[in-house]
Amino acid sequence: MRTKGPGCFRICTGGPWLVVYPEGVWYGALTPARFERILQEHLLGGEPVHEWIVAQNDLGKKQP
């Protein structure tokens, strides 16, 4: 009997990926330069780098 392994979400082609929680902001095609800007502006400064956001999932939090 043959069993199937885990399914593929096919996101590897857009990677490497960075997901920022709890906001659920997904950044794709990460490079060292992009990471540095995301670190400075989003992680430390609190403002997402909108032009590089690929997806966003608020993780079920209610919006104010």
Side-chain angles (χ1 to χ4, degrees):
M1 179 163 95
R2 188 172 180 191
T3 60
K4 291 184 178 182
C8 176
F9 293 117
R10 302 200 192 294
I11 65 169
C12 298
T13 59
W17 292 90
L18 173 68
V19 183
V20 179
Y21 286 105
E23 297 98 334
V25 174
W26 289 67
Y27 294 103
L30 203 63
T31 65
R34 282 188 176 200
F35 174 76
E36 184 62 32
R37 183 169 169 204
I38 293 166
L39 173 66
Q40 295 301 319
E41 293 182 23
H42 189 164
L43 300 177
L44 298 175
E47 184 63 35
V49 182
H50 295 284
E51 66 263 30
W52 295 338
I53 294 175
V54 176
Q56 189 164 4
N57 180 340
D58 67 3
L59 306 174
K61 293 189 312 185
K62 293 185 179 191
Q63 299 297 321

